[in-house]
Amino acid sequence: MDAPRAARLAVAARPPGPRAPARLRFASSTAPRRAGWWWCPRDPRADSSGGGNTFPSPGRCSRLALAHRNRRPAANLGLPPHRPARSLAAGIGTRVTGDGGCDCEGRPLVECAGDRPIQEPAGVVEEKASTMPSTVPKSLNIFWHDCAVGKADRQKLLKQKGCVVWITGLSGSGKSTLACTLGRELHTRGKLAYVLDGDNLRHGLNKDLGFKAEDRVENIRRVGEVAKLFADAGLVCIASLISPYRRDREACRALLSDGSFVEVFLNMSLELCEARDPKGLYKLARAGKIKGFTGIDDPYEAPLNCEIEIKEVDGVCPTPSDMAGQVVTYLEEKGFLHE
């Protein structure tokens, strides 16, 4: 057995003791890292950049195994006895700090002292933020913090009342067109409004969601929470989404208990919407190339108690300006466009 290998085995076999934990230093290697593998910058087997190596598990490298087994930063820092760190998602185990190391799901490794993370270099923190999962377990120890400036103060400043105008209907019924026309009309009147368009949101906030039933539920929940914030800021928030399930829309209504949720139902027939088919989606759904398409093989639950219902007339959809006029008239009558 060669001397370097014997030295590594001796280090791995050393029983854990009260000594300081073995922490891996941050190296400057720029070798490509494999997501889900463990990185050891001090491994003598050179990679393409001249140092370090990756392993499918910490046990495959004696240094990683030692650091993983003997991590006791609390004793080193004079902090309370070590407690297992709470992980960000189910199934994530212990972590060690390394040079850009990743856990089993490809996220950077972090060493904790008690429940407090040890400060890491800026590059590692930024990398960790960019790979953070979009959903995390429920938080328990959190408290609401009130601010001196409240909703009433913002509404007084803007000379309007915050509300959510929720536009629902089949694909092709004119939701986005109405939302943008309404936003422009309010803007010309000196009122501050913002449009949350369903497709636009799927380019960013909801780009991790598909169109399965559970994804649709989460999509509407997120938009409802964002719309609530806009209304609390004193804006007229115009949300334009198919939002096919009645229960999800009612859940969004429940977020605004002061009656500031205005549901607008574009009650256009499936035949009209399919004939218009501005995005070509109905054609794809009929050909079986899109599954779970609302109105074709997924249901649309029409509102039962909407504030505004806009219907087609003799098979023709009203003009965008006419539809926006109906909504503006309602907002004026309910006092949303003035203090």
Side-chain angles (χ1 to χ4, degrees):
M1 183 182 298
D2 59 302
R5 177 175 173 79
R8 289 198 302 274
L9 292 177
V11 171
R14 186 183 302 165
R19 58 187 177 77
R23 282 191 76 202
L24 303 177
R25 65 179 179 84
F26 285 86
S28 58
S29 171
T30 57
R33 314 286 170 78
R34 296 181 59 178
W37 284 49
W38 297 68
W39 170 257
C40 180
R42 298 176 60 186
D43 189 85
R45 285 167 283 188
D47 60 14
S48 58
S49 66
N53 213 328
T54 54
F55 300 87
S57 70
R60 297 289 293 274
C61 173
S62 59
R63 289 177 173 82
L64 280 173
L66 181 64
H68 187 68
R69 187 170 60 247
N70 298 339
R71 81 192 217 295
R72 300 173 189 235
N76 225 18
L77 301 175
L79 297 173
H82 172 75
R83 293 176 289 168
R86 290 192 293 268
S87 59
L88 292 174
I92 300 176
T94 55
R95 302 177 178 186
V96 295
T97 303
D99 181 23
C102 296
D103 64 10
C104 61
E105 294 189 13
R107 285 183 287 270
L109 304 170
V110 60
E111 186 177 59
C112 289
D115 283 333
R116 284 167 282 186
I118 294 175
Q119 187 173 2
E120 297 179 326
V124 177
V125 174
E126 292 171 3
E127 181 184 356
K128 222 182 334 183
S130 66
T131 57
M132 193 71 70
S134 60
T135 56
V136 295
K138 294 180 180 178
S139 300
L140 298 177
N141 300 318
I142 58 174
F143 304 91
W144 186 266
H145 186 85
D146 288 313
C147 296
V149 178
K151 181 178 181 180
D153 302 298
R154 292 186 285 270
Q155 292 181 152
K156 185 177 180 180
L157 179 67
L158 296 173
K159 295 181 174 58
Q160 64 184 56
K161 294 180 181 177
C163 65
V164 173
V165 178
W166 192 280
I167 305 174
T168 178
L170 292 172
S171 176
S173 60
K175 298 181 301 299
S176 297
T177 301
L178 170 57
C180 293
T181 305
L182 176 59
R184 183 175 65 246
E185 178 63 24
L186 292 174
H187 180 77
T188 59
R189 292 169 177 253
K191 303 303 176 184
L192 191 58
Y194 194 86
V195 175
L196 297 176
D197 182 81
D199 277 6
N200 291 354
L201 292 171
R202 285 183 176 273
H203 282 82
L205 177 67
N206 295 333
K207 67 180 179 181
D208 60 325
L209 300 177
F211 290 90
K212 296 184 295 184
E214 57 269 27
D215 284 353
R216 288 177 180 266
V217 171
E218 175 62 13
N219 178 59
I220 300 305
R221 187 198 69 81
R222 292 184 191 178
V223 178
E225 291 287 353
V226 173
K228 175 186 175 182
L229 295 177
F230 273 105
D232 186 65
L235 280 70
V236 176
C237 180
I238 307 168
S240 168
L241 305 96
I242 295 176
S243 44
Y245 306 137
R246 189 178 299 124
R247 182 178 63 178
D248 298 337
R249 297 194 302 267
E250 290 303 313
C252 293
R253 179 188 294 273
L255 293 174
L256 294 97
S257 58
D258 56 355
S260 57
F261 186 90
V262 181
E263 188 174 25
V264 180
F265 175 33
L266 292 188
N267 190 4
M268 307 299 161
S269 66
L270 175 61
E271 294 72 22
L272 174 62
C273 296
E274 190 169 358
R276 298 172 65 180
D277 199 9
K279 303 174 183 176
L281 299 178
Y282 283 101
K283 184 178 180 180
L284 294 175
R286 291 294 187 187
K289 296 181 180 180
I290 298 179
K291 301 297 183 182
F293 190 76
T294 302
I296 303 300
D297 55 354
D298 199 71
Y300 177 82
E301 300 172 358
L304 300 178
N305 303 300
C306 61
E307 283 72 19
I308 302 173
E309 181 178 2
I310 301 177
K311 298 181 178 181
E312 59 186 271
V313 179
D314 297 328
V316 178
C317 179
T319 65
S321 59
D322 288 342
M323 294 190 294
Q326 292 186 49
V327 180
V328 170
T329 298
Y330 180 89
L331 295 176
E332 286 180 333
E333 291 175 353
K334 296 300 179 179
F336 289 111
L337 301 186
H338 51 78
E339 294 182 51

